[in-house]
Amino acid sequence: LFRSQREYNGRNYYGSKRMCECNIVHKFDTWDIFRGGISDDDRNISTKIVNKNFELNISSLNKNGNNYQEFSGTVCSAVIDENDNNISAWFKNSFDEDNTSTQTIQGNPTFKVSKAIKSAKIKIEWIANTDATCPLDSETNDTNSTDNFAIRPLKFNILNYPTIAYAKEDFNISFEAKDNNDNNTTDYNETKGSSFDVIVKEIKNGCITGKYNSNITFANGGNTTIADYNETGEIDINITDKNKTCKERFAQVDCKDKNVSGYWNSDINTSIEEKNITLRVLPCKFNITNISITNHNNANFTYLSNDLNMSGELNATITAVNADGATTQNYSDKCYAQNLDINISHLSTT
């Protein structure tokens, strides 16, 4: 039993260090450094931010993956996508079984990925008793992390919109999904209504919210679109995924990850930081209709009077409308109507 145990721990029966670990089956895995790992069955890697460094634990486990196991040699790790393509630089860990008797965590590899991805993993390669360069040219073993994870944009942004817009007239507006360097996020190509929405609301209580039209499809984290709004008012335009359930968001692969107080919350940390702006929208124009003249006292003639007491009445209907000619309902005394200057000109007759 003593000899078997000494061999299992990577040494000969008389206690000297073995030069070969070929009889020991190792299994490597990686997880967030704030998680308990095999101690509480939490080997998750949760959502990361594009172009932001993150650290992970790399652990040497036994063949069943249920306990730590000593290992000497080189361990290389990198982030890969769904097609096993490398999307980060390689990180090297040098393991030495003399570091600790239980060989738990060996270093905190730092990764950074420059594009958005919905499902990434960590590829791990290792070679025993060798100080090698990563990636390994002749690795004898490799595996992938047991958990996959998303790499998302940091925040949304809205820009290039007008100071004032006019009801139902086209205007330009730009949306961005920014990475940790405040650049547009490469490979973030989502469409409005899928993993995010643009929500438009009238700000003033008692006034109606009109219809906002725009199609947004991001191309590498950027989009400039033509939009219109059919009503008058001051509106809040908000690009967000907070209204989406976790399983509808870009980082939906991480919804199942165990929450860790102070470090990770699946509802909060899968969400991209939202952005909102306020836009003022005026009627497109006024229409004057139903023009008529009523003589004084409904008689068949009208006096010419300097004080206008006996003059006729000019009647007209003035309507605030959008570019399609529809009445803007919010242009009322309870919402956004203003006092008007009305100027009337005439041609003299005989």
Side-chain angles (χ1 to χ4, degrees):
L1 176 62
F2 175 78
R3 175 175 177 172
S4 173
Q5 182 64 40
R6 298 292 285 180
E7 288 181 342
Y8 179 82
N9 286 336
R11 297 179 182 271
N12 295 317
Y13 71 93
Y14 49 81
S16 64
K17 192 172 180 179
R18 276 207 316 265
M19 296 303 294
C20 176
E21 297 186 6
C22 50
N23 292 327
I24 300 177
V25 178
H26 290 89
K27 183 176 183 180
F28 283 82
D29 203 0
T30 178
W31 52 81
D32 283 320
I33 60 175
F34 55 82
R35 298 189 180 278
I38 59 176
S39 63
D40 61 359
D41 194 27
D42 184 8
R43 287 151 66 174
N44 287 319
I45 306 172
S46 296
T47 307
K48 310 305 176 191
I49 306 298
V50 176
N51 271 325
K52 183 176 183 179
N53 290 343
F54 61 92
E55 294 183 338
L56 298 174
N57 287 327
I58 300 288
S59 294
S60 170
L61 309 176
N62 62 21
K63 65 179 181 179
N64 296 320
N66 58 7
N67 205 347
Y68 298 107
Q69 180 168 271
E70 293 179 352
F71 174 79
S72 287
T74 300
V75 179
C76 301
S77 51
V79 186
I80 59 173
D81 62 17
E82 302 98 322
N83 300 315
D84 293 333
N85 298 313
N86 280 48
I87 55 175
S88 80
W90 285 92
F91 184 91
K92 177 182 176 180
N93 273 109
S94 296
F95 277 63
D96 183 350
E97 66 181 1
D98 286 334
N99 285 347
T100 171
S101 60
T102 56
Q103 189 57 58
T104 55
I105 308 306
Q106 281 290 337
N108 296 326
T110 300
F111 302 98
K112 183 166 68 173
V113 177
S114 61
K115 65 178 182 178
I117 184 169
K118 289 186 175 182
S119 183
K121 283 196 171 185
I122 304 296
K123 183 175 183 179
I124 307 170
E125 301 175 350
W126 66 95
I127 185 168
N129 301 313
T130 303
D131 183 11
T133 301
C134 296
L136 300 177
D137 292 330
S138 58
E139 75 276 4
T140 55
N141 296 283
D142 67 81
T143 189
N144 291 338
S145 58
T146 54
D147 189 47
N148 52 355
F149 60 100
I151 306 170
R152 64 165 175 83
L154 173 65
K155 61 185 179 181
F156 288 119
N157 191 32
I158 308 175
L159 68 165
N160 299 329
Y161 53 91
T163 303
I164 294 175
Y166 295 91
K168 203 55 181 175
E169 275 195 354
D170 290 346
F171 62 90
N172 290 332
I173 186 169
S174 298
F175 297 89
E176 296 174 332
K178 312 293 281 186
D179 66 16
N180 192 60
N181 294 335
D182 206 34
N183 296 320
N184 288 354
T185 303
T186 302
D187 278 3
Y188 184 79
N189 303 318
E190 297 293 286
T191 300
K192 184 183 76 171
S194 55
S195 62
F196 73 93
D197 281 317
V198 173
I199 300 173
V200 176
K201 291 183 178 179
E202 166 59 46
I203 293 175
K204 197 170 187 178
N205 290 333
C207 304
I208 66 171
T209 296
K211 185 177 181 181
Y212 173 86
N213 292 304
S214 72
N215 294 317
I216 301 173
T217 298
F218 282 100
N220 288 320
N223 173 268
T224 296
T225 188
I226 296 175
D228 69 72
Y229 181 71
N230 71 337
E231 254 299 336
T232 300
E234 285 189 303
I235 56 174
D236 177 84
I237 300 177
N238 183 22
I239 180 168
T240 183
D241 64 3
K242 294 184 185 300
N243 64 310
K244 298 288 189 181
T245 65
C246 186
K247 292 183 179 180
E248 295 175 302
R249 295 174 183 168
F250 183 86
Q252 59 190 257
V253 69
D254 293 315
C255 293
K256 67 184 186 309
D257 289 2
K258 181 179 179 180
N259 290 336
V260 179
S261 179
Y263 292 97
W264 166 260
N265 180 281
S266 59
D267 184 57
I268 296 172
N269 296 105
T270 59
S271 182
I272 301 170
E273 183 181 327
E274 64 185 353
K275 175 68 176 181
N276 68 294
I277 63 162
T278 299
L279 182 65
R280 187 182 180 198
V281 187
L282 304 182
C284 178
K285 60 182 179 180
F286 294 106
N287 281 343
I288 303 176
T289 58
N290 303 322
I291 300 174
S292 64
I293 296 178
T294 302
N295 290 332
H296 180 63
N297 286 336
N298 291 317
N300 56 5
F301 67 93
T302 288
Y303 290 99
L304 297 179
S305 167
N306 285 334
D307 59 12
L308 302 181
N309 287 333
M310 294 184 293
S311 298
E313 295 177 350
L314 174 63
N315 300 293
T317 300
I318 303 176
T319 309
V321 298
N322 63 26
D324 286 347
T327 301
T328 53
Q329 312 255 347
N330 281 344
Y331 203 79
S332 66
D333 57 350
K334 294 181 180 179
C335 292
Y336 292 101
Q338 301 291 318
N339 291 332
L340 300 178
D341 288 331
I342 302 174
N343 299 293
I344 301 172
S345 60
H346 70 91
L347 295 177
S348 298
T349 67
T350 56

